Amino acid sequence: MRQKLIITLTTVRGSRQYTLSQLAGYLVGLFLLLSALSFFVSNLLLVQTRDHLHGLEQEKITLEEQFTEALGTQQLYLENLAELGSRYSEVFYERSQLEEEKIRLDADLSEIESILGVLTDLPAETPQTDRSALLRAASVQRLFLLHSIPNGLPIKGTRIGSGFGTRVHPITRARTPHNGLDFPAARGTPVYATADGIVEKAGFDQGSGFGNLIILQHNFGFKTYYAHLQNIEVTSSQYVHKGQLIGYSGNTGRSTGPHLHYEVRHLYTPLDPKPFVDWGLSNFESLFTSIEDVEWESLSAMYPLNQGGPQ
């Protein structure tokens, strides 16, 4: 009996049977096998494709991060390049300044003497080496005096609240001498020594109304007072140099507001500090004519090369 393949299909209308020969059965089986194999191969390829796409997506993210990092590195290089350009400009400017300074220092001695106002009456035939030595000595002496005698501002800013002389005291309302200058300033403003010296007092001064007070002793009998300080940065017996930070302004003692009270005294005699504040190398002679309470003649005898200075 020939082998046959019978296929039964059942529907709502009943069942039907189909008879296939053995060859047709093989073909149907082969078709089903190939369909199943194709299904599994397609799924495998789909999974591999999905994994490949996921890998490509990760590579895309990595490339984007590297691109962003490269942009940041490029920006950093540009910033460094700009900074180097700025530094080059600064160095070039400083070099130009130094060249100008060298030219100025190489100027004729007579011009320098004219600027300083010294040695102008020397004979024209005086050898240049002698003029140079005398000019150097005179300059050193002037700088020594400018470091020894109070000069310049003790605090940043040039506005003066109360000047030297008699005034109505803002607290007692009585007319009393005001022996210094008042510089209005916010609490904590730096205060500087106006000449080299030694600290005579650094602390709270009872009874004077000065509050926290610094007194500096300088050469030639001069003293400076710095009152109403908030903080003191020096101690008694300490040596200080001109321009050194010694304290910070405040409102201690009898004071109506934050400020620095500054005095210049000579042998305990209060002097008007304004000429001392204005005094410097450019107007060296001015102090010795504006302050008459100091015997400048004896100082002139000590420093004869300061022509135009103390007489």
Side-chain angles (χ1 to χ4, degrees):
M1 183 176 180
R2 188 178 290 181
Q3 293 182 356
K4 296 182 179 180
L5 177 65
I6 300 174
I7 298 175
T8 303
L9 297 177
T10 303
T11 64
V12 293
R13 295 180 180 181
S15 298
R16 282 184 145 186
Q17 292 184 344
Y18 299 91
T19 302
L20 300 174
S21 63
Q22 186 176 12
L23 178 60
Y26 286 152
L27 291 175
V28 171
L30 180 61
F31 173 76
L32 294 175
L33 179 62
L34 291 175
S35 297
L37 182 61
S38 175
F39 175 77
F40 286 114
V41 170
S42 298
N43 282 343
L44 179 61
L45 292 176
L46 180 62
V47 170
Q48 290 180 346
T49 302
R50 185 179 60 187
D51 292 341
H52 182 63
L53 289 175
H54 180 70
L56 290 176
E57 184 178 357
Q58 292 297 323
E59 290 180 4
K60 176 177 175 293
I61 294 174
T62 302
L63 288 174
E64 288 178 348
E65 292 176 351
Q66 292 176 351
F67 179 73
T68 302
E69 183 178 356
L71 286 179
T73 303
Q74 182 186 26
Q75 182 64 29
L76 181 61
Y77 287 154
L78 291 175
E79 292 176 357
N80 289 340
L81 183 61
E83 183 179 357
L84 287 174
S86 176
R87 290 184 178 179
Y88 175 78
S89 299
E90 292 176 359
V91 170
F92 183 80
Y93 174 75
E94 291 177 357
R95 178 182 175 183
S96 300
Q97 292 293 101
L98 289 174
E99 289 178 351
E100 293 178 2
E101 185 72 10
K102 182 178 183 298
I103 293 173
R104 188 185 67 82
L105 292 176
D106 290 339
D108 187 77
L109 284 178
S110 61
E111 182 180 351
I112 300 177
E113 293 166 0
S114 176
I115 293 173
L116 294 179
V118 298
L119 308 179
T120 54
D121 58 348
L122 286 178
E125 61 273 11
T126 303
Q128 189 177 36
T129 53
D130 294 344
R131 295 174 68 90
S132 178
L134 291 172
L135 179 60
R136 186 182 301 110
S139 300
V140 169
Q141 289 178 3
R142 286 199 169 197
L143 290 176
F144 171 71
L145 291 177
L146 285 169
H147 276 264
S148 300
I149 300 174
N151 64 93
L153 287 167
I155 193 170
K156 290 183 179 179
T158 57
R159 187 170 74 87
I160 298 175
S162 294
F164 179 84
T166 303
R167 67 166 185 175
V168 176
H169 195 281
I171 296 178
T172 64
R173 310 311 300 174
R175 291 190 63 82
T176 55
H178 187 241
N179 293 330
L181 299 178
D182 287 344
F183 294 92
R187 289 183 179 89
T189 303
V191 176
Y192 305 95
T194 55
D196 298 344
I198 187 171
V199 181
E200 176 182 315
K201 180 179 180 62
F204 190 84
D205 195 61
Q206 295 285 352
S208 66
F210 282 150
N212 289 330
L213 172 68
I214 294 175
I215 302 177
L216 300 183
Q217 293 184 12
H218 309 289
N219 285 338
F220 311 116
F222 288 96
K223 290 186 180 183
T224 50
Y225 285 57
Y226 310 80
H228 306 302
L229 300 174
Q230 175 174 302
N231 297 104
I232 294 175
E233 299 297 323
V234 293
T235 57
S236 295
S237 303
Q238 177 182 342
Y239 288 100
V240 297
H241 60 80
K242 177 176 171 58
Q244 179 176 333
L245 174 68
I246 57 175
Y248 295 92
S249 64
N251 193 32
T252 58
R254 287 200 303 271
S255 174
T256 57
H259 71 286
L260 171 70
H261 176 81
Y262 174 66
E263 292 187 11
V264 176
R265 299 190 182 188
H266 184 256
L267 301 178
Y268 303 101
T269 300
L271 304 175
D272 185 358
K274 189 64 168 62
F276 293 89
V277 168
D278 297 336
W279 185 44
L281 189 60
S282 61
N283 61 342
F284 188 80
E285 300 83 3
S286 63
L287 184 70
F288 310 111
T289 57
S290 59
I291 301 296
E292 300 178 352
D293 295 330
V294 179
E295 296 293 334
W296 300 114
E297 290 80 4
S298 56
L299 186 59
S300 178
M302 294 174 61
Y303 299 99
L305 291 178
N306 274 300
Q307 298 180 13
Q311 299 295 329

